[in-house]
Amino acid sequence: MFQRMKSQGKGSKSPLKDSFLKYPNNKYVLLALLGATAGQGVVWYTGQFYALFFLLITLKVDYVTTYMLIAASLLIGTPFFIVFGALSDKIGRLKIILAGCLIAAVTYFPLFKGLTHFANPALEQYQESTKISVAATDCSFHIFVLPTTRFSDCDRAKDFLTKSGLSFSRSRKFLGRAW
């Protein structure tokens, strides 16, 4: 088909410009890059890497057990790539991608709650019985941390609590005392 288009002179002389700068092609490229793949990326990285860091850092599960659990989940899940790939050939990729994103959206919170319950029940019990609130006015949100990034006392406190595996809420009201 490509050879036929080329021989008829229907090929693009500047494919990058045609793909990224001409409407409606640029709409489809952006939709594919940001729409479909963003959802897949969130699902994949949450299921693999965030689960790994959640077990290690938040739930304080030892290194070997954590990596064995993630490896086992990958071994169990790998054959499903073939199953759902074949199914997507029959019913369409969009349906499979959207179903996967929907299933992840519905199940990730209960799954991570279950991880907490079974991996570190003492932490779960402590979090339910002890509510922690950070009350400060100098908290910042850092998307990209650079060597020049300045961290406030509130930022350091939130970092400490997070690395300790403790959930907390943040109050914008400053109580006028060190917490």
Side-chain angles (χ1 to χ4, degrees):
M1 183 184 222
F2 175 73
Q3 292 297 337
R4 187 174 49 207
M5 285 177 59
K6 190 174 177 183
S7 67
Q8 294 173 351
K10 292 183 179 178
S12 174
K13 295 193 184 348
S14 57
L16 289 176
K17 182 179 175 184
D18 291 345
S19 294
F20 293 102
L21 300 177
K22 287 193 177 177
Y23 185 84
N25 295 343
N26 57 2
K27 178 177 78 170
Y28 297 125
V29 169
L30 288 174
L31 185 63
L33 288 175
L34 302 176
T37 56
Q40 289 176 294
V42 168
V43 169
W44 173 258
Y45 287 104
T46 301
Q48 303 309 313
F49 297 107
Y50 183 72
L52 175 77
F53 298 134
F54 183 73
L55 287 165
L56 273 174
I57 297 168
T58 304
L59 299 182
K60 307 298 184 202
V61 176
D62 68 277
Y63 179 85
V64 173
T65 303
T66 297
Y67 277 87
M68 294 297 282
L69 286 169
I70 297 299
S73 71
L74 286 170
L75 285 173
I76 292 167
T78 298
F80 290 102
F81 284 102
I82 297 166
V83 171
F84 288 106
L87 185 59
S88 75
D89 289 339
K90 291 180 183 174
I91 67 170
R93 282 160 183 65
L94 182 63
K95 291 177 184 174
I96 296 296
I97 291 170
L98 291 177
C101 290
L102 179 65
I103 290 168
V106 170
T107 61
Y108 272 172
F109 281 103
L111 285 171
F112 280 89
K113 191 168 178 62
L115 275 176
T116 303
H117 178 75
F118 291 107
N120 195 337
L123 178 63
E124 178 187 40
Q125 185 179 15
Y126 180 81
Q127 287 179 343
E128 288 174 1
S129 65
T130 308
K131 300 299 178 194
I132 300 171
S133 178
V134 175
T137 57
D138 63 341
C139 292
S140 300
F141 179 72
H142 305 283
I143 295 176
F144 301 107
V145 177
L146 304 170
T148 58
T149 302
R150 293 186 179 212
F151 296 99
S152 66
D153 289 338
C154 177
D155 297 332
R156 286 189 285 279
K158 290 189 327 184
D159 183 59
F160 172 78
L161 292 169
T162 301
K163 287 179 179 173
S164 299
L166 300 172
S167 295
F168 59 90
S169 62
R170 182 173 167 256
S171 171
R172 293 191 181 268
K173 296 177 184 175
F174 185 63
L175 302 176
R177 59 179 178 234
W179 55 276

